Amino acid sequence: MSEAVSIERVSPGLSGDDIDVVVTLPTFRRPEHLLRTLASLQAQVTSQRFAVIVIENDAEGGEGRRAADPLFAEGALAGLVITAHARGNCSAYNAGWSTALEQFPSMRYLAVIDDDEIAGPDWLVRLVATAEKLPADIVGGPQIPVFEKEAGRRLLRHPVFVPHYAVTGPVPILYSSGNVLIRRQVLETMGAPFLDTAFNFIGGGDSDFYSRCRERGFTFGWCAEAPVHETTPPRRMEFSWLNARGMRNGALSSIIERRRQGGRRGSARRFAKSAALLAASPFRSAALAARTGSAVAGLYPMQVAIGRLLAEFGIVNEQYRRPDQN
């Protein structure tokens, strides 16, 4: 076990050889919602033998660790509570995924859910069934926003809240790790660290990981019938947050392309693409505003294009650096 990871609690009688699926659940200062997420995992109706790894990413505060500990100490959930001492979402994922490989030698699949999400009782069984039916190496599902204020419903058609796909089946790639199932072979082939910690505070480590997986020949699928419902705080209804997220998404696309296409030729191609997107963005924004009936949603293509261009000059917003503003 890495010195950056501490095992805080192991549920009684846990045997790593008896587990088919491991659900990793990173948490950071959301103890009350973490318990709701864990309750939804307790309610899973599946024949799959599964365990849960809660990954505390606030080593000093430890609110999530303390909240989850009784459930594992009493055996209400099978699995572990660990602490990832390095801050950042990529560091937390890496800690959980490495622990899963080390502690559960019979694990066939690794699933991921976040501490602001609630899974339905058939979530896990549907993800596994889709992975085996397609077949696919990595399967994602929708993250459906649940707004704490009714006014947020007007944002349901905003691109940052709309699932990337609508129909179950093979897809070219995924973009989020908030609701995903990954075959063990993928993790063993890609090797640790799985997510690049350079993305710890800007996000996008999952997108970069998927891009590298695709290059290695792994396949992707989508399960529309396995949504999770994501509690969305009022902060994410504000224009400043939506604007920052749009620009960040644009910056991430440029950063990931830069990693795949280096050199002068790659830089010229990437800059030309960014300039073309910026030129087309007013027209795309007008079309999106008309389609969604929202001027705020319509701004998204322009925000993405501006974010891409700024990233060419090294200007990227670390939206996860201050959790209170996210």
Side-chain angles (χ1 to χ4, degrees):
M1 183 64 62
S2 166
E3 292 182 1
V5 180
S6 300
I7 294 181
E8 310 289 354
R9 174 69 67 181
V10 179
S11 61
L14 181 67
S15 172
D17 292 325
D18 296 334
I19 299 300
D20 297 319
V21 183
V22 175
V23 181
T24 54
L25 170 51
T27 186
F28 184 81
R29 298 179 185 174
R30 289 188 183 120
E32 293 181 1
H33 203 293
L34 171 64
L35 292 176
R36 295 175 59 194
T37 304
L38 289 170
S40 75
L41 296 179
Q42 285 180 278
Q44 293 299 298
V45 179
T46 176
S47 61
Q48 299 286 340
R49 298 171 298 175
F50 76 95
V52 179
I53 299 177
V54 172
I55 308 131
E56 172 64 82
N57 199 217
D58 181 13
E60 294 77 21
E63 293 178 306
R65 179 178 66 244
R66 289 191 296 273
D69 183 79
L71 292 173
F72 290 86
E74 297 163 4
L77 274 168
L80 302 90
V81 179
I82 68 173
T83 296
H85 293 275
R87 274 282 313 279
N89 63 342
C90 295
S91 295
Y93 282 126
N94 288 340
W97 297 5
S98 292
T99 302
L101 288 174
E102 293 169 5
Q103 298 292 318
F104 299 98
S106 298
M107 177 187 75
R108 296 168 52 235
Y109 292 101
L110 180 140
V112 185
I113 189 170
D114 284 340
D115 66 347
D116 56 356
E117 298 173 340
I118 303 294
D122 56 355
W123 170 69
L124 202 55
V125 71
R126 288 185 179 275
L127 284 176
V128 172
T130 300
E132 296 183 348
K133 181 179 179 180
L134 289 178
D137 298 306
I138 309 173
V139 175
Q143 294 166 254
I144 308 300
V146 178
F147 293 97
E148 293 182 357
K149 291 186 177 181
E150 186 65 24
R153 293 186 60 81
R154 59 185 169 81
L155 296 172
L156 282 173
R157 300 183 69 185
H158 192 290
V160 302
F161 297 122
V162 176
H164 291 102
Y165 304 104
V167 180
T168 296
V171 295
I173 199 167
L174 298 174
Y175 301 94
S176 173
S177 57
N179 180 10
V180 70
L181 184 81
I182 306 172
R183 289 186 189 270
R184 183 188 189 100
Q185 181 188 357
V186 175
L187 300 178
E188 291 180 333
T189 300
M190 299 304 292
F194 310 99
L195 274 59
D196 189 334
T197 55
F199 293 95
N200 255 339
F201 298 107
I202 60 174
D206 40 13
S207 293
D208 175 70
F209 175 71
Y210 296 144
S211 179
R212 289 185 280 115
C213 287
R214 183 168 62 177
E215 288 181 348
R216 297 293 291 271
F218 291 113
T219 57
F220 299 85
W222 185 256
C223 183
E225 295 79 24
V228 295
H229 290 84
E230 182 179 23
T231 300
T232 309
R235 168 74 180 122
R236 297 190 180 187
M237 295 168 51
E238 298 173 8
F239 176 78
S240 59
W241 186 90
L242 294 166
N243 182 61
R245 179 53 58 98
M247 294 180 67
R248 187 215 66 161
N249 288 352
L252 289 176
S253 67
S254 176
I255 292 169
I256 293 171
E257 285 178 21
R258 184 186 309 153
R259 289 172 167 233
R260 307 283 88 81
Q261 303 172 7
R264 292 184 178 180
R265 181 175 297 180
S267 295
R269 186 183 301 118
R270 194 175 58 253
F271 192 86
K273 179 178 178 180
S274 296
L277 287 173
L278 184 61
S281 65
F283 306 100
R284 297 178 65 202
S285 286
L288 181 60
R291 188 166 67 250
T292 61
S294 169
V296 173
L299 289 173
Y300 183 73
M302 297 179 67
Q303 292 160 342
V304 169
I306 293 170
R308 274 188 64 99
L309 199 60
L310 289 175
E312 296 295 332
F313 300 97
I315 303 173
V316 182
N317 177 35
E318 291 188 327
Q319 200 171 25
Y320 293 132
R321 178 68 70 175
R322 298 186 61 183
D324 57 308
Q325 293 188 358
N326 189 53

